[in-house]
Amino acid sequence: MASNTNKYTLLMRILHWLIALLILGMIAVGWYMAGLPDEDPTKYDIYPVHKSIGISLLALIVLRLLVRFFSPIPKLPSELAGWEKILTKTTHFLLYLLMLLVPISGYLMSDFAGFPVEWFGIEVPGFVPDNMDNSEKALSAHGILPYILLGLVVLHVLGSLKHRFIDKDKNTDVLSRIL
Ligand code: HEM
């Protein structure tokens, strides 16, 4: 809901920073655990924690989309150039899409392989029949999508810093709206 407000609501701001921190942590942990040799027992101690936090993140991202739909959203500054508005909106759309696809691909990889997925010890119901081909497709997706998400996060951060520090005379600072 675009509105004349000049700041995101407190709940949107909390969800933004909480999800950002968890995603960056999950990418680091995922990269670390996937690189451990299969015979290293730590690898399989980290998996359930990664899965549990990943499922929590999926729930938080769905909550964030619902909250966003019903919250007043500040409009982009009118001083932004046309290409900047298009780039900003496309990046935001892709960030939301990837934030959903990354945990869903992780979940499907385990579910298609017939591995139980637990959320901090509580079994999460499976939805799909066992199928190793599909599990491998989900594994390939989950091996790439988190790094595309990371690239988008870098672009997103660079954009907000450009408006804060390089274009500071143009009244296009958007970082203050989410702090
Ligand atoms: C936003 C949430 C998530 C992020 C950012 C994330 C990120 C990652 C990353 C970066 C890797 C390493 C990929 C590689 O270099 O090969 C990885 C691996 C893995 N993830 Fe996730 N993940 C998320 C959610 C999930 C969920 C929900 C599950 C399962 C329920 C899951 C299960 C796994 C497993 C089993 C691996 C290891 C795959 C292998 O052994 O090669 N992830 N994750």
Side-chain angles (χ1 to χ4, degrees), residues 26-27 30 33 47 50-51 54 57 102-103 106-107 109 142 146-147:
M26 284 286 283
I27 293 177
M33 76 181 192
Y47 268 41
H50 180 86
K51 292 183 182 185
L57 259 169
V102 169
Y107 176 78
M109 160 177 44
H142 200 69
Y147 302 111

Side-chain angles (χ1 to χ4, degrees), residues 126-138:
F127 293 99
V128 291
D130 293 1
N131 180 323
M132 277 322 281
D133 278 354
N134 286 343
S135 172
E136 274 170 25
K137 283 181 196 145

Side-chain angles (χ1 to χ4, degrees), residues 36-150:
L36 288 174
D38 287 349
E39 49 288 357
D40 187 335
T42 353
K43 181 167 181 145
Y44 303 102
D45 291 339
I46 304 176
Y47 268 41
V49 181
H50 180 86
K51 292 183 182 185
S52 300
I53 298 177
I55 288 165
S56 314
L57 259 169
L58 180 58
L60 281 171
I61 291 155
V62 171
L63 173 69
R64 177 167 173 192
L65 281 167
L66 288 172
V67 171
R68 190 185 192 283
F69 189 73
F70 293 107
S71 307
I73 301 297
K75 287 191 193 119
L76 287 178
S78 54
E79 294 84 354
L80 282 183
W83 68 269
E84 288 176 315
K85 284 188 186 158
I86 294 171
L87 185 61
T88 305
K89 286 186 178 166
T90 311
T91 310
H92 289 175
F93 171 78
L94 291 175
L95 279 168
Y96 279 116
L97 184 67
L98 269 282
M99 284 194 291
L100 288 171
L101 291 181
V102 169
I104 290 174
S105 59
Y107 176 78
L108 286 178
M109 160 177 44
S110 296
D111 199 10
F112 273 127
F115 294 140
V117 178
E118 290 189 349
W119 181 75
F120 299 108
I122 302 167
E123 189 158 335
V124 177
F127 293 99
V128 291
D130 293 1
N131 180 323
M132 277 322 281
D133 278 354
N134 286 343
S135 172
E136 274 170 25
K137 283 181 196 145
L139 171 72
S140 305
H142 200 69
I144 296 170
L145 294 177
Y147 302 111
I148 300 180
L149 177 57
L150 184 60

